[in-house]
Amino acid sequence: MNRLARITSVELRLFLREPMTIFFGIALPPLLLVIFGSIPSFAAPSPDFGGERFIDVYAPALIATSLAMLALSSLPTILASYREKGVLRRLATTPVRPGFLLTAQVVSHLLMALVSVALLLVVGATAFDLPLPANALGFAIAVVLATTSVFAIGLLIAALARTGRLASGIGSLLFFPVAFLAGLWTPGPVMPEFLRGIASFSPLGAGSQAIKDAWSGAWPQPLHLLVMLGFTALAGLAAARWFRWE
Amino acid sequence: MPVIEVTNLHKRYPGKVAVHDVSFSVERGEIFGILGPNGAGKTTTVESVIGLRKPDGGTISVLGLDPIRDRDRLRTRVGVQLQQSELPERMRVREALELYSSFYPDPVDWRELVDQLGIADKVGTAFRKLSGGQKQRLSIALALIGNPEVAVLDELTTGLDPQARRDTWEVIQRIRDRGVTVLLVTHFMEEAEYLCDRLSLIDAGRVVATDSPTGLIARVDSGARLRFRVAGPFDPAVLTALPCVTGVRRTGPQVQVTGTGDLLAQVSAALGAAGITAADLRTEHTTLDDAFLALTGHQLAG
C-alpha cells in the first residue's frame, strides 16, 4: 500500500505538470459555468428550460464533459504511451508490478474527476446560487456510475491502442459523440426528444440525465443506471481481457 | 554453485524461433558477457533470465531461484537495465531515483550513484530534457539503486560518446569490485573485450563458444597480421615469396598480410627492396570480431 501511495503521489505530481489536461479536464467546466452564469439571459429562469435557468440544466453536462476529458483523452493516452515507451516494462523489472502504475493512474484521474465535480458544485453554489444536488445519494450514485462507465471505456482504448498517439486519436474521436450525447451543445430540454432517447443509451447521456434527475431531487431512472452499469461491465471486462503490458 | 545457470534455453515467437539452444553459467563476482549481432537472440535470452519471458524449453536458475515462479523474491536481488524502457516524460531525475529507491528493502544512496555516473547536475531535470547518454546513465543508476547481487545490463553503452562509455565501464568494474555479479549483453566487441571475464558468443539463437576474451582470441589466432596502403602498382608475389608470409589480400589500395614470426621486419625489407612505398604500415591484433568471424563465418558488426 505504501508503494502504491508513493507511485500515486508521483503520478499526481506529473499530472499537475500537464497544463492542457488540467485546463480541459478540470478548469474548463467550472470556467464555462462562470462564463454562461455571467450572461444575464442564461442566469435567469426561462420557459425554454422548463422554468429553470440555462446554467441549471447545463451543469450536469459540464460534469459529464469533465469526466469524458479525463477518461477518454487523458487516461488512455498516458497508459498507452507508458506501454509504448517501455515505462511499464522497466517497472516490470523491479519488485513493483506494473499493475501498480496502472492503478496509480486510474486513482489519480479519479481524484482529478472528484476535484473537478467539487469545483463545479462550489463555484455554482457560491457564484450563481446553483443549489447543491437535492438528492445527494442519487447524485453520488449517478456520478460514480458515470465515472466508472467512461473510465472503463478509457481503459479499453488503452488496451487496444498500440501507441500513445493512437490512443489520443481514438479518445478525441470518441469524446465528441460522447460529450454531444451528454448535452454539451444541447443540454437538457434543448436536446430534441428523439435524440434524448438515443442519448439514454450512451454512457454520459445516461449519466448527465441521471445526474440532472438527482440534482432536482428525483431518483435516477433505472434505465440510465443500467446503461451505465452495462458500459462499465462490458468495457471493463474487454479492457481486462485485451490489455497487454508490452 | 553458479549465480546464473541457463540450460538449453529455447524460446519461440509466432513464426520465429528467437532462441534455439542457449546454455551458459555465470559465477559469483564475474562480469559475464553475451556478445552477438543484432537479432541473435541476446535480448530474449536476458529477458528469460530475469523472468520477463517464459521459456518454451530449458531451465533457468538465478541465485538458486526460478525467475518465473520466484519472481518477487528475485526482483529485490537483481537489478536490470533494459533497452527501450523510458520514464514518464515529465518525471525529474531525482523523483525517479527516490521512487525507485523506495521499491527496494536496502537501496544504495542514489547521490553516490549519480556522482559516479556523472549526472549529479541533472537531478532536477525532466526525463524528456535529458540527452540520450544521460537517459542511459539514469537507466544504469536505476538498475543499481536496489543494491543488487546481480546486475543485468542490456546494451549498456549504446548512445554514449567514447568518454562516457569509458566512464561507464569504470562504474561497472567498481560494481563488480563490490562483489556484484554482472551479466552484460552487448553487440560491441570492444566493450566485451574490455569488461568481460568470460563471455558467450551467440549467433542465430545458439551459443557458438564460451571462454575468456583472450581464450576466444587464442582459438583463432593465426599469427601476426600487417596492413598498409600502396599507391601505385603492386605485385603480391613480392611478399608471397617470403617464407614467413602465409597470405596477402588486396582490397583497393589496402593490403593485408598474414604470416608468422618477424613479419613486420621482413615485409618492410621486401617492400623496400622492390621499391614499393607502403603508407600507414601497421601491425594488427586479432580481436573478438576476428574470433566471431572465424567461428561463425560472418561479421559481428554490420
Side-chain angles (χ1 to χ4, degrees), chain A residues 3 17 85 89-90 92, chain B residues 47 75 85 90 95 103:
Chain A
R3 281 175 177 161
R17 289 183 197 146
K85 298 200 167 148
R89 183 174 139 90
R90 182 195 296 276
Chain B
E47 285 177 344
R75 287 287 184 276
S85 47
R90 291 176 197 265
E95 289 170 339
F103 296 165

Side-chain angles (χ1 to χ4, degrees), chain B residues 56-121:
Chain B
D56 294 313
T59 57
I60 300 174
S61 141
V62 179
L63 295 164
L65 301 169
D66 178 325
I68 298 282
R69 206 181 52 230
D70 307 316
R71 179 188 184 285
D72 289 347
R73 270 198 291 166
L74 204 60
R75 287 287 184 276
T76 59
R77 299 170 66 186
V78 177
V80 182
Q81 174 251 320
L82 290 178
Q83 294 182 80
Q84 287 144 20
S85 47
E86 298 191 14
L87 286 168
E89 285 190 341
R90 291 176 197 265
M91 186 178 275
R92 299 190 182 131
V93 171
R94 182 189 293 111
E95 289 170 339
L97 293 162
E98 285 174 348
L99 181 65
Y100 277 67
S101 292
S102 76
F103 296 165
Y104 297 92
D106 178 30
V108 296
D109 184 356
W110 57 261
R111 286 167 201 85
E112 273 174 38
L113 268 182
V114 293
D115 263 343
Q116 288 178 1
L117 288 161
I119 48 172
D121 56 333

